[in-house]
Structures are given as structure tokens and as C-alpha cells.
Amino acid sequence: MEKKKRVRWFHLISHFDLGGAEQVAMNIAASQNPAIEYHMVEMMRGRSVYTRKMLEEMRQKGIIYHRGWMPDVRFHFLFERVAALLFPLWFIFLFLKWRPQILHSHTEGPDLCLLAFAKLFPGLIKQCRIVRTIHNTRLWTGQQRLGRIAERWFLKMGANVAISQAVQQHYQQCYGECPCIIYNGVPQVMQQPYPQLHPGKVNVLFAGRLEPQKGIATLIRIIEELASDARYHFHVMGDGSLRSEVQQHLSSLPNVTVVPPLHGLSSFLSSFDYMLMPSEFEGLSIVSIEASMASLPNIINDAPGLGETMPPDWPLKVQRNELDAYLRLFREVIPAANRSSLQQQCKQYAVANFGVESMQQRYEARFTVPFESCS
């Protein structure tokens, strides 16, 4: 009796580097389903410390990966366009060698790569099922014309998956389709102590890209206003275009430590007392879910894709990033809160709604049905 071949599922991501979409792709690819062979394909070649650690993690998990040859340049989205145009010339050899049956793109750069490949090699694309995870509520910033072309193709392919109600609603408003929702899954991680805590203080963590989307202006104002409050110490972990502004405002304050991103942050989260996330918008915040999985209560802006990660009655939500509301939480609500009860509440909600095995199974059930009989 001829043994059935496994379905080959290729995840296309921007780079092997720090990023929520990259982590989601790897969490799906870590599935133990014996009927599927997962590959990770890099669009632009990452070169950070995190890149090396991500490569090692994929090797440990038995995930096959393929490295891009274009350098990872983040100066302007023009570089992503060039990388997308050149991507098919490299990917065609990879495609013909492995013959994937499912091509799954994550974020706009890989979306463009997949579209360019489809336009150049339409006959090969017809052999595949296309999957496209929409990771954010705002698409194609500064590239609306190109985005409309891409969205028409993804709609035609029936490829779209939203990661939250906020993403689903925004996509329906913009493009008319109501894509299915598959929540991002986050594994529970063994915890270890973070060595740079400030004993005797309430240690509050911000961890994310230092970009406007993450509410950095609000973050700075909160920390500045609480500079004389000896109860709190803030740990700001991240990098990005606003790093110099963060350093300028916060480096001289006694209540904050600014450090680069920490690889394996999810394994240190339980060391902190609270997480602070003043994001303006998210697709579905992985960091927020990871915090809840580690029983770390989150102080959040009730923004699209972020408020959804916490229980509906979560008491540490702020509307419209109002500074006075944050200050009331820090000065009145948090000192009187039952932190143990908050820990239990957020973890129970995360485990029930954002388990990684549930995410893997939903993707596999939805997109591998036509290939069950592949030999």
C-alpha cells in the first residue's frame, strides 16, 4: 500500500526576527500533525541577535526553513516593493524543488511577494491553496493603490483569515468581505526570574516596538507624570524609530529603565507585577496574551485588537488613551487591587480563548481538506 505524502505548507514571513506575525507563523508551524510538513520562508534576510535565536528555535522544533537573500532594510517600504518584485525569481526554484500545496502569507511584504509570484507563474499558483492571515486593523498605509490590487486577488482566492473581531470588522468596512476569525494561539511558557527587577517597587513592564502605533507618546507622559511616585518602577523594552525620543524624555528619570528587546521575553513575564500597553491599535496583541498566560495583569488602552485580549469586565482598561484615567489607575485602583484575583482572571480568559493547539487545529481543519487524499 502506497504511503500518503504529507501536505507541504509554506509560511511566508517578512524576516526571521522579532515580530508578532513571525511568532504566530512559527506557532502554527510547530504543530505536531504528522500529515503536514511545515516550512518557514523568509522574504528579507534578518540579521539581528534575535534572528540567530529564532533559527535555533526552528531547528529544535524540526521546522524546515529557507532564508531570503535580500537584505532586511527598514528605511522605507520602497525596499519591500523591490524585494517583492525580485522574490519570485528566487522562490521559483524553491517551489519547484518542494512543490508546496499551501502558501500562507503573513503581513503586507509577504502578501506582495505572493501576489508577484502568482502574476508571474499563474499555472503554478493554480496547484496551491492560498492562505493569508490579516494581522492588523490598518492595511497598506501609504500604499493604498497597490493594496487595492492585492486585496482583489486575495478576495478572489478566498484566502483571508482575520485574527480578531477588530480586524474582521475593519476589513469588512474597507473591502466588503467578512473573513473568518482564527484567534492567534499562544503557548504557555516555563517562567524564570528576571534579574533586573527593583525590589520593594511595583515593577511595570512595557515591551514592544517603539513606534507611534504602540502609544509611545502616551507611555512617555505616564512615566513622566509618575516620576515622583516612589511606588513604581517602569521597564521599557524595545527598539524602533522613536527610540531616541524615548531616551530623550526618560533617560534622566529615576523611575524607569530603558533596555533593548529581550529574546525569550515570554519566559520572564511572571517576574513583573503589571504590564502596560497604551497601543493605539493592534491586530491581536500577542504580548498581551502572553502576559495573561503568565498571570501578568495588563493595564491597557481599550483599543481595537487589544481590548479584545482581556475579559470584557477587565478593570484595568482605559478609553482613548486618556492620561487622567491611567493616572487614576496607578494612584488609586492598583494600590487597592487584589492582584491575585486579577492574575487568575486574566489567565483563565487567555487559556480559554487563545490556546495554541486550538489555533493549529482550526487552520489545519479549514485549509487541508482538499488535500486529505493526496498521495
Side-chain angles (χ1 to χ4, degrees):
M1 187 181 211
E2 186 179 358
K3 185 179 179 180
K4 289 184 178 180
K5 292 182 179 179
R6 293 192 291 174
V7 174
R8 288 202 177 102
W9 188 317
F10 274 30
H11 287 275
L12 278 61
I13 64 174
S14 295
H15 42 234
F16 295 150
D17 208 335
L18 187 66
E22 287 78 4
Q23 189 61 54
V24 169
M26 193 157 68
N27 285 342
I28 299 171
S31 169
Q32 297 301 304
N33 189 333
I36 303 176
E37 177 183 291
Y38 282 102
H39 294 235
M40 296 276 283
V41 180
E42 183 184 44
M43 171 187 169
M44 301 173 75
R45 197 175 188 89
R47 58 184 186 275
S48 71
V49 173
Y50 188 86
T51 299
R52 295 192 294 272
K53 294 181 178 180
M54 186 174 179
L55 295 174
E56 178 58 29
E57 186 176 350
M58 287 189 288
R59 285 191 289 267
Q60 292 175 356
K61 293 180 176 180
I63 301 171
I64 303 168
Y65 62 84
H66 310 280
R67 303 224 56 192
W69 57 271
M70 283 285 291
D72 184 14
V73 180
R74 306 187 192 184
F75 175 71
H76 194 275
F77 60 72
L78 177 62
F79 289 97
E80 282 198 353
R81 289 191 186 184
V82 173
L85 290 173
L86 296 176
F87 176 85
L89 304 179
W90 167 71
F91 187 65
I92 181 61
F93 296 101
L94 196 63
F95 185 98
L96 293 175
K97 177 181 178 180
W98 293 96
R99 295 287 180 176
Q101 290 126 319
I102 300 177
L103 299 176
H104 187 163
S105 68
H106 299 262
T107 69
E108 293 161 10
D111 291 346
L112 290 178
C113 288
L114 190 51
L115 177 61
F117 184 77
K119 296 299 184 183
L120 282 176
F121 304 104
L124 296 178
I125 281 289
K126 287 180 181 178
Q127 304 172 21
C128 301
R129 166 155 282 189
I130 306 301
V131 186
R132 184 275 196 106
T133 298
I134 309 170
H135 287 274
N136 219 324
T137 54
R138 300 185 187 180
L139 298 176
W140 308 108
T141 301
Q143 307 179 79
Q144 282 78 13
R145 184 177 178 184
L146 184 59
R148 286 193 293 271
I149 296 171
E151 294 308 327
R152 282 196 296 268
W153 184 75
F154 281 113
L155 288 168
K156 179 182 176 182
M157 301 304 294
N160 290 324
V161 174
I163 63 170
S164 67
Q165 293 177 18
V167 168
Q168 182 192 60
Q169 292 166 5
H170 184 268
Y171 193 87
Q172 187 175 22
Q173 291 170 3
C174 292
Y175 302 106
E177 182 194 65
C178 185
C180 72
I181 295 175
I182 299 180
Y183 282 120
N184 288 341
V186 177
Q188 296 189 55
V189 177
M190 290 285 292
Q191 295 295 300
Q192 58 183 312
Y194 181 68
Q196 299 178 42
L197 294 177
H198 283 240
K201 305 282 188 179
V202 177
N203 288 268
V204 182
L205 172 67
F206 169 89
R209 291 180 289 112
L210 304 182
E211 303 290 347
Q213 171 187 342
K214 300 299 182 179
I216 302 304
T218 301
L219 175 72
I220 291 171
R221 293 178 67 196
I222 292 170
I223 296 173
E224 287 178 334
E225 288 288 337
L226 294 172
S228 60
D229 192 329
R231 292 173 293 184
Y232 298 101
H233 191 88
F234 294 86
H235 302 259
V236 176
M237 295 183 183
D239 203 353
S241 63
L242 297 180
R243 181 171 181 80
S244 60
E245 184 173 343
V246 169
Q247 292 283 8
Q248 177 185 346
H249 284 271
L250 302 183
S251 60
S252 63
L253 298 183
N255 64 332
V256 58
T257 304
V258 181
V259 296
L262 175 64
H263 176 72
L265 171 65
S266 59
S267 67
F268 295 97
L269 290 172
S270 66
S271 296
F272 297 90
D273 297 300
Y274 292 92
M275 172 87 84
L276 173 59
M277 292 194 69
S279 297
E280 299 288 344
F281 63 92
E282 297 277 351
L284 186 73
S285 174
I286 294 295
V287 175
S288 174
I289 299 169
E290 288 177 335
S292 293
M293 287 288 189
S295 301
L296 175 60
N298 205 338
I299 305 160
I300 66 166
N301 181 33
D302 192 12
L306 180 55
E308 201 172 332
T309 65
M310 305 303 297
D313 58 346
W314 187 243
L316 304 182
K317 288 181 180 178
V318 165
Q319 303 297 321
R320 298 176 296 281
N321 258 350
E322 292 179 356
L323 179 62
D324 288 344
Y326 280 115
L327 296 179
R328 186 180 69 83
L329 287 179
F330 280 105
R331 290 169 175 165
E332 301 174 20
V333 177
I334 291 174
N338 184 333
R339 185 170 172 273
S340 296
S341 176
L342 292 173
Q343 289 179 298
Q344 184 179 11
Q345 185 182 1
C346 68
K347 182 166 185 176
Q348 287 178 346
Y349 188 78
V351 170
N353 291 278
F354 306 110
V356 69
E357 290 186 2
S358 174
M359 174 188 66
Q360 292 167 344
Q361 292 166 5
R362 290 194 65 192
Y363 272 106
E364 291 168 354
R366 185 173 183 86
F367 293 106
T368 63
V369 173
F371 304 110
E372 287 181 348
S373 61
C374 289
S375 59

